[in-house]
Amino acid sequence: MNVTIKDVAYAAGVSVVTVSRAINDKPDITPETRQKILDIAAQMGYTQNIIAKNLRAKSTKTIGIIVPDIRDPYYGEILEGCNISTLQAGYEIILSVLPYQNRNADTEITALKTLIGKRVDGLLLQPENINDRYINELKTCPVPFVLWNRKLDELDCSFVKTDHEKGSLLAVDHLIQKGHQKIAYLARNSESPNIKERINGCISAVQKHGLPEDSVQIYQCDDSANAAYLTAQQILQNNKKITAIYTYDDVMAIGVCKAVLDKGLVIPRDMAVVGYDDIEITEYFKPPLTTVRQKKIEIGEMAAKILIQEIEEKNKNKNSIILEPNLVQRETT
């Protein structure tokens, strides 16, 4: 049976109020009495009901995070950054992971409502499948929220993101400078605004070099190594003019590399490959992957810090932070 605060009070011969003061380090109690009560509580195995305490204070000291895909190491680094800020501020994280095979606006709305039902103090979100219903849910959200690696023009909210248009420009500009004039871009099947930004970056790069827009051909596929592998196989079979493939993320790039190597081709002599994110494995993959680096830990850390400020300070001023990407050239280009 759980030991209650009343049990500790009875054993110590003091009131429940006095025990509460001792446990919560309040004034109006002598150091000797506080230590006596704490010693008795420890001997009895008393543990404080943090949930009840926080609910009385109208705060659960928890932050809800919706993760679109737990398989991708990219999200692990984002969460590492979030964890830095939440631990410093005394908050805990509650994760909601979207189902990969059924990832749509409805599942995101359900995850959003579930976390709110758990009485989280705030939310960190990376909306993936966006429609009017989802936007309306966010507009009426009863708790503060911050977007990480997303910006939605329909919402007046804080966000921390990478300049994805510049990231794509860097990738395609690099390939063109290497002599490639027929490039495939493997984009995700998603309503995410990041897709549009990255395609715009591809267009900006070819315009910069005076090349036609169809110098970059867009292929849509799921964001998995297997889907990218299969799509790359089709490209290698049907479009002999393409000499470079740029992908939405590094996991897809690894799938592309396998397709190229399985075809008996040499990277980068026969086909150059560029990824996006710079997850840790890209440096150790063979051949090491050229990629666009996002400051993933910083994104998570800054987004969580801003959210906690909005929760605790009732901060109505919104933060718009856009971080610069950079190209990491390795052996696939």
Side-chain angles (χ1 to χ4, degrees), residues 185-218:
Y185 176 49
L186 270 59
R188 292 182 52 198
N189 294 317
S190 172
E191 296 300 319
S192 163
N194 288 4
I195 303 293
K196 298 174 184 176
E197 290 180 33
R198 296 190 195 185
I199 291 174
N200 288 340
C202 294
I203 295 170
S204 296
V206 296
Q207 289 176 341
K208 173 184 173 182
H209 290 273
L211 298 173
E213 284 190 11
D214 65 0
S215 297
V216 176
Q217 298 181 22
I218 311 299

Side-chain angles (χ1 to χ4, degrees), residues 73-82 278-280 296-297 300:
Y74 156 82
Y75 294 106
E77 293 190 51
I78 294 282
L79 290 173
E80 182 180 349
C82 293
D278 192 32
I279 59 176
E280 184 179 17
K296 301 173 289 300
I297 293 176

